[in-house]
């Protein structure tokens, strides 16, 4: 019987002791959630019983009852180096004692130290930085800059993409769950996502991942028929759905909300060429893939051997502190300087201090190597579970940006803080295996 019952190891130990919870009752919190909070929060939870989070430390979370959890979602890939990481916490505390807020009209060292440091992580000519408070804000700003610089209006994104929930960025986002029946995101066109698992074309060597699809293909080494078909779809969109000159093209190096979807290896390189031929600029949305999460590279776009004209980022940039950024070229920045752009909280001293500490911590804790080593191990072990259980259709991703697609359309998105250990990975794999086993037994 291939559905052997796995043994569940003990949860890995943790030396940190959370404070005892003495706050309001769970019932009161739920009442307030129903009456005073965004009602959508009650809709989107996947839990039969909500989790009432009290405290976090590194890869661990504790609820109000004192139960400990291994966090494999990191607040949607946002807690990059670990909950309440001591180094980042110290940076925040020190800055809070000196200066909470001024605006970037004035010159204060924290902002400039951070901008110089962040720019050093990006290739030329990506050296001009605009700081925002979120990824949606960053993408909204990038749309405006692309249109102003090119003098064109139309922007192309992939189906299944998520680039934000603002009135403009909703046009970039191609996911029905986020759409409202009102005019928004004008000038945005969604093209076929080159998804080599679920799309019409794909094979056994398409993607830059330790795990390939179970689809067969007869492609010769270094040649990908699926890539050619998907590029033809993009050509078709350019020929029929937008003007001959466009403003830009947004793509996540690996789709996040779409479920860790990866494209054929050379797709973005060819797509960038086609977009630039039509006057457009190419924007890499690194909100989820940035800061070493893919393991092999610091930025997701580097895994595609491309250099975008603009990079947007958020989430892991501040380890969960609200922050985002657009990084672009001096040429595009000069076009944007024709008008006045100002962001009250963008580049806030506390945000800059924390984000600067995050960059230091990524280096000191070697979190990119953790992403590569633990992520590759997880992917390979999850592939074994795909072979064991027919309800798993696909396992994909890179580093600690992992998707497990079930055959009935559900996706497990696995994007933990980049401080988890092999022991944590084994614990998760055993629990996941047991859950799948129990599900198959019920069926």
């Amino acid at each position: 019987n291939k559905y052997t019952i796995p043994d569940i190891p003990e949860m890995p130990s943790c030396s940190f002791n959370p404070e005892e919870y003495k706050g309001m009752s769970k019932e009161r919190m739920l009442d307030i959630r129903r009456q005073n909070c965004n009602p959508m929060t009650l809709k989107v939870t996947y839990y039969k019983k909500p989790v009432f989070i009290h405290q976090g430390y590194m890869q661990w979370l504790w609820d109000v009852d004192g139960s400990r959890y291994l966090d494999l979602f990191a607040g949607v890939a946002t807690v990059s180096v670990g909950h309440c990481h001591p180094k980042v916490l110290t940076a925040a505390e020190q800055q809070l004692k000196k200066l909470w807020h001024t605006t970037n009209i004035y010159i204060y060292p924290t902002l400039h130290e951070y901008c110089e440091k962040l720019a050093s992580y990006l290739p030329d000519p990506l050296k001009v930085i605009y700081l925002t408070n979120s990824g949606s804000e960053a993408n909204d700003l990038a749309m405006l800059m692309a249109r102003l610089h090119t003098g064109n209006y139309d922007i192309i994104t992939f189906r299944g993409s998520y680039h934000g929930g603002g009135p403009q960025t909703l046009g970039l986002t191609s996911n029905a769950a986020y759409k409202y029946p009102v005019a928004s995101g004008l000038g945005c066109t969604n093209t076929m996502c080159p998804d080599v698992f679920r799309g019409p074309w794909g094979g056994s060597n398409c993607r830059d991942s330790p795990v390939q699809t179970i689809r067969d293909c007869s492609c010769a080494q270094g040649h990908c028929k699926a890539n050619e078909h998907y590029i033809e779809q993009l050509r078709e969109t350019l020929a029929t759905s937008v003007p001959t000159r466009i403003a830009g093209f947004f793509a996540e190096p690996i789709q996040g909300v779409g479920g860790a979807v990866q494209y054929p290896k050379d797709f973005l390189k060819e797509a960038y060429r086609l977009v630039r031929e039509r006057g457009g600029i190419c924007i890499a949305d690194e909100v989820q893939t940035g800061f070493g999460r893919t393991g092999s590279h610091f930025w997701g776009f580097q895994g595609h051997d491309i250099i975008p004209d603009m990079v947007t980022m958020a989430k892991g940039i501040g380890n969960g502190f609200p922050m985002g950024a657009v990084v672009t070229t001096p040429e595009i920045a000069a076009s944007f300087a024709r008008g006045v752009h100002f962001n009250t909280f963008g580049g806030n001293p506390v945000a800059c201090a924390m984000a600067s500490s995050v960059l230091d911590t990524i280096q000191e804790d070697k979190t990119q190597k953790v992403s590569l080593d633990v992520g590759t191990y997880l992917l390979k072990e999850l592939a074994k579970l795909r072979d064991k259980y027919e309800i798993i259709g696909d396992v994909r991703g890179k580093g600690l940006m992992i998707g497990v697609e079930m055959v009935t359309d559900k996706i497990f998105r696995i994007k933990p803080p980049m401080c988890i250990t092999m022991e944590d990975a084994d614990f998760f794999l055993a629990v996941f295996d047991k859950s799948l086993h129990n599900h198959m037994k019920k069926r």
Side-chain angles (χ1 to χ4, degrees):
N1 178 7
K2 67 178 184 176
Y3 303 126
T4 51
I5 301 174
D7 292 324
I8 301 282
E10 262 190 52
M11 182 181 269
S13 62
C14 170
S15 58
F16 182 83
N17 290 312
E19 295 171 14
E20 185 187 348
Y21 179 72
K22 294 176 180 174
M24 66 170 66
S25 69
K26 290 189 280 189
E27 293 73 20
R28 183 75 190 114
M29 280 190 270
L30 274 180
D31 284 344
I32 294 169
R33 200 173 180 89
R34 291 187 191 103
Q35 293 167 31
N36 306 118
C37 295
N38 169 6
M40 191 58 68
T41 54
L42 286 166
K43 268 191 184 179
V44 297
T45 179
Y46 296 110
Y47 305 102
K48 286 174 184 167
K49 292 181 181 175
V51 183
F52 296 81
I53 300 296
H54 165 47
Q55 194 164 352
Y57 179 75
M58 301 306 283
Q59 68 269 51
W60 304 106
L61 288 168
W62 286 264
D63 67 15
V64 297
D65 298 318
S67 298
R68 178 163 59 104
Y69 301 84
L70 175 61
D71 183 3
L72 289 184
F73 199 39
V76 196
T78 301
V79 179
S80 47
V81 295
H83 292 282
C84 301
H85 192 293
K87 293 172 194 165
V88 185
L89 181 63
T90 299
E93 286 174 338
Q94 288 176 349
Q95 187 59 50
L96 278 165
K97 289 173 187 170
K98 282 190 285 194
L99 183 71
W100 287 16
H101 177 75
T102 181
T103 76
N104 53 29
I105 290 173
Y106 307 109
I107 298 175
Y108 51 94
T110 330
L111 171 72
H112 301 81
E113 287 162 5
Y114 179 64
C115 286
E116 181 183 46
K117 193 181 287 187
L118 180 61
S120 74
Y121 282 82
L122 287 133
D124 286 328
L126 294 165
K127 295 297 173 185
V128 185
I129 296 166
Y130 297 79
L131 294 175
T132 67
N133 304 288
S134 70
S136 292
E137 264 190 27
N139 283 334
D140 188 79
L141 180 59
M143 291 175 81
L144 177 60
M145 293 172 84
R147 285 168 169 163
L148 281 168
H149 179 69
T150 61
N152 305 323
Y153 195 72
D154 290 70
I155 296 173
I156 295 173
T157 60
F158 290 136
R159 290 178 200 143
S161 61
Y162 182 84
H163 298 285
Q168 287 298 314
T169 53
L170 267 179
L172 303 177
T173 293
S174 175
N175 192 309
Y178 295 93
K179 298 287 192 182
Y180 290 89
V182 294
S184 64
L186 300 176
C188 296
T189 298
N190 308 124
T191 191
M192 180 183 280
C193 177
D195 181 344
V196 297
F197 169 69
R198 197 188 289 181
W201 306 287
S204 52
N205 194 32
C206 294
R207 57 194 182 201
D208 177 22
S209 171
V211 180
Q212 298 293 333
T213 68
I214 52 174
R215 297 172 83 160
D216 290 326
C217 69
S218 54
C219 297
Q221 188 68 36
H223 185 77
C224 182
K225 288 179 188 167
N227 188 48
E228 291 168 9
H229 286 304
Y230 286 119
I231 284 293
E232 200 48 48
Q233 288 297 310
L234 177 59
R235 286 182 191 276
E236 186 77 6
T237 299
L238 289 165
T240 61
S241 304
V242 292
T244 53
R245 307 292 287 172
I246 62 172
F249 168 67
F250 273 78
E252 303 159 87
I254 299 173
Q255 281 194 346
V257 172
V261 174
Q262 292 176 285
Y263 328 123
K265 288 171 199 156
D266 291 326
F267 182 91
L268 285 183
K269 193 181 277 191
E270 179 67 5
Y272 273 29
R273 189 183 68 76
L274 293 172
V275 168
R276 285 169 174 155
E277 274 179 5
R278 286 155 181 80
I281 65 171
C282 300
I283 300 114
D285 180 333
E286 294 276 356
V287 169
Q288 294 197 32
T289 48
F291 299 93
R293 180 162 287 280
T294 64
S296 61
H297 299 89
F298 199 82
W299 303 109
F301 69 78
Q302 293 168 319
H304 295 273
D305 193 24
I306 51 176
I307 295 181
D309 304 295
M310 201 179 285
V311 181
T312 60
M313 56 193 78
K315 290 193 183 290
I317 192 171
N319 201 42
F321 195 85
M323 194 178 190
V326 176
V327 186
T328 191
T329 66
E331 187 189 3
I332 293 170
S335 298
F336 191 54
R338 283 178 258 167
V340 175
H341 169 75
F342 179 67
N343 188 317
T344 301
F345 294 107
N348 170 279
V350 181
C352 286
M354 293 177 76
S356 183
S357 179
V358 166
L359 287 175
D360 294 343
T361 302
I362 286 169
Q363 296 300 334
E364 291 162 18
D365 293 6
K366 298 182 172 59
T367 60
Q368 189 177 324
K369 189 172 188 315
V370 171
S371 293
L372 179 64
D373 295 347
V374 181
T376 300
Y377 174 70
L378 271 170
L379 280 159
K380 288 179 175 176
E381 291 300 310
L382 285 165
K384 292 176 188 173
L385 294 183
R386 176 196 63 190
D387 299 339
K388 180 177 173 181
Y389 298 105
E390 65 258 29
I391 57 165
I392 298 181
D394 194 33
V395 171
R396 55 181 175 259
K398 251 183 102 173
L400 289 175
M401 181 128 184
I402 298 171
V404 178
E405 181 158 345
M406 315 308 277
V407 292
T408 50
D409 243 21
K410 299 287 185 198
I411 299 265
F412 285 92
R413 290 165 63 202
I414 301 161
K415 295 166 185 179
M418 298 185 289
C419 57
I420 66 164
T421 66
M422 289 292 189
E423 194 184 4
D424 299 332
D426 281 330
F427 174 70
F428 157 68
L429 288 162
V431 172
F432 194 51
D433 191 354
K434 177 86 169 181
S435 301
L436 293 168
H437 176 269
N438 290 346
H439 178 80
M440 295 304 288
K441 201 172 170 186
K442 277 183 202 164
R443 291 203 328 175

